[in-house]
Amino acid sequence: SLHLHGLQFNAQRQVHYIAQNGGLYKRPFNESFEETPMLVAVLTYMGYGILTLFGYLRDFLREWKIEKCHNATEREEQKDFVPLYQDFENFYTRNLYMRIRDSWNRPICSVPGARFDVLERISYDYNWTFNYTGKVIQDVINMGSYNYLGFAESFGICADAAAEVTEKYGAGVCSTRQEMGSLDKHEELEELVAQFLGVEAAMTFGMGFATNSMNIPALAGKGCLILSDELNHASLVLGARLSGATIRVFKHNNMQSLEKLLKDAIVHGQPRTHRPWKKILILVEGIYSMEGSIVRLPEVIALKKKYKAYLYLDEAHSIGALGPSGRGVVEYFGLDPMDVDIMMGTFTKSFGAAGGYIGGRKELLAYLRSHSHSAVYATSMSPPIVEQIITSMKCIMGKDGTTIGQDRVQQLAENTRYFRGRLKKMGFIIYGNDDSPVVPLMLYMPAKIGAFGREMLKRNIGVVVVGFPATPIIESRARFCVSAAHTKEMLDVALKEISEVGDLLQLKYSRHKPVPLLDRPFDETTYEETED
């Protein structure tokens, strides 16, 4: 059964799928989310409320020439232009975002490996502009890059192979795949990707974001229905909107919500005409990059088969990072790759390169080669990038004659469990699955977003902090990305500094009462974006 009676929760109320759940899960699947403490939620709302109230008050006083501080106003040279933003966006940018703008877009000047170098910068005008001091902050421990398997490096077999190919083929191709930009290297890569994924055929693209945004419109259109997880990446959302299909959004990783939408789609059909949908396409991700959660793929596939829908799986963060041999979430659950209709992923994370791929049946790929905007109009992938992917993928598969790739996959799994376990013991609220290398640490309050990023950089730890509108307004967070390149000593140093900053900023909110995602209140509201 796909319903809640097939689930049991252990003493810590983590989700455990057992034999009662139709045998869909072959091993425990631990994923938990701790609810925001009431006091923290109230103080967070109050923080945003006070910032907003005083922002509007000071804007009013500036209008009447009473307020002399003009930090949160646009520069004089900008005022002659037509505003790019609507009123509240403009207000939010000036009064809230500008306060902590120094936390983002920090330029680095080295390979984004386990450690990197950061250019030091300061601002004299409330973060409207930055000046570089000329100093370099060296050997910063990198806890933010998606370098899951450590292939982002300037030495070793991948770098050597890419350099050799650059000498032979050059850096650019100057044509699309359909014209004169299809190299033997592209063909080799696509055969290797298909073999790696266990599918009939694969196709590669020069940009991961465009792989979603340009291919979904080729797969769905008017009269089709797209069912999208509410936390799907912007590229999936954009692709769905560009397709012109009707979009309905289901609760994150919630099979009740997905099944309800599927039932309604079958029973009622299209709005007004009630004709059957031409096609129903389910969009999900392998690992959700802001939540650190893993898709409940066995259940999604069971629902897909039951209701005769199609499944589009985005493995941008899971390919290379999950599964005993790094083949992603399908291998992680021990499933058949042919049960996933469209397998999509990117080369920008685990492979240390750029671009994306789609894998599936030969008929699907033959169709995309002539209908995908990414294939027809985009310049084909750069030769050194292609070689970086080929070499790293062969390394993961063991085709290079070594166990380096397999060792890195194993090391990533060990580092992930160690890092997540230590943070939980320290008392931080951590979201997501125990096996996810994406580790969100909850900050909540607006002032703590900038403070956490700055304090960590002072201690030579590079982190990514995320706030509204990229997250819900009361769920600001720091997002760590664990890498196989991290040694235990590096992780221990990072954990020690995180603990110190956690004490300084009072971030250890956990009451050690994780709540399973399915235990959250189920709201049957759905959202429709495009109606016929």
Side-chain angles (χ1 to χ4, degrees):
S1 169
L2 294 169
H3 299 287
L4 285 178
H5 70 263
L7 305 173
Q8 287 189 349
F9 303 114
N10 67 359
Q12 292 182 324
R13 304 186 74 206
Q14 291 177 319
V15 184
H16 275 259
Y17 293 82
I18 58 172
Q20 284 179 301
N21 199 353
L24 292 176
Y25 290 81
K26 296 178 174 62
R27 62 188 188 125
F29 179 66
N30 302 322
E31 190 163 284
S32 60
F33 296 80
E34 186 166 343
E35 282 186 334
T36 308
M38 181 60 73
L39 178 62
V40 176
V42 169
L43 291 174
T44 302
Y45 278 121
M46 282 178 61
Y48 279 106
I50 291 167
L51 282 169
T52 304
L53 179 65
F54 275 84
Y56 278 119
L57 177 62
R58 294 180 78 171
D59 275 357
F60 174 77
L61 294 176
R62 282 187 201 105
E63 194 75 23
W64 289 90
K65 312 295 186 199
I66 299 170
E67 171 64 80
K68 303 301 181 190
C69 176
H70 291 276
N71 280 342
T73 56
E74 291 176 327
R75 307 298 88 179
E76 284 299 322
E77 57 269 26
Q78 294 174 297
K79 291 184 177 178
D80 292 336
F81 289 85
V82 175
L84 278 173
Y85 308 119
Q86 297 300 320
D87 285 345
F88 184 73
E89 286 179 82
N90 181 293
F91 172 84
Y92 182 86
T93 301
R94 290 184 294 104
N95 290 281
L96 283 80
Y97 173 70
M98 278 298 168
R99 292 172 180 266
I100 54 175
R101 187 178 171 223
D102 58 298
S103 301
W104 295 285
N105 305 311
R106 289 189 180 125
I108 69 169
C109 50
S110 68
V111 172
R115 293 181 184 271
F116 55 22
D117 300 335
V118 181
L119 286 177
E120 187 179 76
R121 62 180 184 174
I122 54 175
S123 177
Y124 299 108
D125 58 1
Y126 198 66
N127 291 338
W128 286 92
T129 61
F130 293 100
N131 296 314
Y132 297 103
T133 64
K135 294 180 183 176
V136 174
I137 307 169
Q138 295 185 324
D139 289 331
V140 177
I141 296 177
N142 181 4
M143 296 304 302
S145 293
Y146 306 133
N147 182 26
Y148 297 129
L149 295 180
F151 283 113
E153 50 197 6
S154 56
F155 59 88
I157 56 171
C158 292
D160 293 343
E164 192 178 317
V165 165
T166 306
E167 288 180 6
K168 181 179 178 182
Y169 290 87
V173 184
C174 304
S175 182
T176 67
R177 289 293 297 277
Q178 287 202 351
E179 291 165 349
M180 299 176 78
S182 195
L183 304 176
D184 55 345
K185 283 289 173 186
H186 292 126
E187 301 292 334
E188 181 186 347
L189 174 59
E190 290 178 345
E191 287 176 16
L192 188 66
V193 170
Q195 188 182 341
F196 183 66
L197 297 175
V199 294
E200 291 179 3
M203 186 176 177
T204 58
F205 306 89
M207 182 183 179
F209 191 98
T211 306
N212 278 332
S213 60
M214 294 290 99
N215 282 295
I216 293 172
L219 296 168
K222 195 173 182 182
C224 298
L225 174 66
I226 291 176
L227 303 181
S228 178
D229 189 291
E230 66 177 335
L231 296 182
N232 275 344
H233 189 260
S235 59
L236 289 166
V237 174
L238 178 61
R241 287 175 176 170
L242 289 174
S243 72
T246 299
I247 303 166
R248 289 180 184 152
V249 180
F250 61 91
K251 293 292 175 183
H252 174 55
N253 240 351
N254 191 314
M255 297 304 111
Q256 283 179 297
S257 178
L258 175 58
E259 186 165 21
K260 182 179 185 300
L261 290 182
L262 283 165
K263 278 181 180 175
D264 288 348
I266 300 297
V267 171
H268 300 297
Q270 297 184 44
R272 289 190 291 276
T273 64
H274 299 294
R275 290 176 182 167
W277 294 101
K278 293 178 183 176
K279 188 187 301 176
I280 299 175
L281 184 64
I282 302 169
L283 300 186
V284 293
E285 291 186 49
I287 292 178
Y288 289 83
S289 60
M290 284 296 170
E291 297 295 302
S293 56
I294 296 174
V295 66
R296 293 190 164 92
L297 193 59
E299 291 174 82
V300 175
I301 288 175
L303 287 174
K304 176 209 100 146
K305 289 180 176 178
K306 182 177 178 182
Y307 293 99
K308 305 292 188 292
Y310 292 100
L311 175 60
Y312 186 111
L313 172 64
D314 177 345
E315 288 215 82
H317 288 269
S318 54
I319 194 68
L322 283 182
S325 59
R327 283 169 165 80
V329 70
V330 176
E331 184 189 47
Y332 176 78
F333 287 113
L335 303 171
D336 182 357
M338 298 310 290
D339 283 338
V340 179
D341 302 288
I342 304 103
M343 294 184 74
M344 176 272 170
T346 64
F347 302 120
T348 55
K349 282 88 178 172
S350 296
F351 303 97
Y357 66 81
I358 283 183
R361 298 188 185 277
K362 286 180 180 176
E363 298 88 346
L364 167 73
L365 275 302
Y367 174 81
L368 286 178
R369 285 184 201 283
S370 56
H371 288 80
S372 165
H373 282 63
S374 284
V376 180
Y377 299 110
T379 303
S380 52
M381 197 182 289
S382 172
I385 296 291
V386 173
E387 188 60 26
Q388 164 78 19
I389 301 163
I390 289 172
T391 312
S392 57
M393 192 173 286
K394 282 182 176 177
C395 188
I396 297 168
M397 296 169 76
K399 284 178 172 286
D400 61 343
T402 71
T403 61
I404 293 171
Q406 192 59 47
D407 292 344
R408 291 190 185 197
V409 172
Q410 183 62 37
Q411 188 63 53
L412 175 64
E414 290 174 12
N415 285 354
T416 295
R417 285 191 165 272
Y418 177 71
F419 190 73
R420 277 183 165 274
R422 286 285 305 276
L423 286 176
K424 284 181 181 177
K425 283 180 183 174
M426 287 175 186
F428 293 103
I429 292 183
I430 304 297
Y431 275 8
N433 192 287
D434 288 354
D435 293 320
S436 168
V438 178
V439 186
L441 182 153
M442 304 311 293
L443 303 176
Y444 297 114
M445 299 180 198
K448 295 186 181 182
I449 301 171
F452 187 81
R454 292 171 193 138
E455 288 296 327
M456 292 304 293
L457 189 59
K458 281 183 194 174
R459 292 162 170 78
N460 259 36
I461 314 288
V463 302
V464 172
V465 288
V466 193
F468 180 80
T471 67
I473 197 159
I474 67 159
E475 291 190 12
S476 302
R477 63 199 67 179
R479 185 190 62 187
F480 302 105
C481 291
V482 184
S483 170
H486 290 135
T487 62
K488 185 173 181 295
E489 290 70 31
M490 285 182 200
L491 292 179
D492 285 337
V493 170
L495 286 162
K496 175 178 171 291
E497 302 298 353
I498 292 166
S499 183
E500 280 185 18
V501 175
D503 290 330
L504 178 68
L505 302 179
Q506 298 183 354
L507 296 172
K508 296 179 179 178
Y509 303 116
S510 179
R511 295 167 296 178
H512 299 287
K513 294 180 179 177
V515 176
L517 188 63
L518 288 179
D519 214 28
R520 288 174 166 179
F522 171 50
D523 178 5
E524 292 195 355
T525 305
T526 58
Y527 314 93
E528 296 192 13
E529 298 213 359
T530 308
E531 274 291 337
D532 183 14

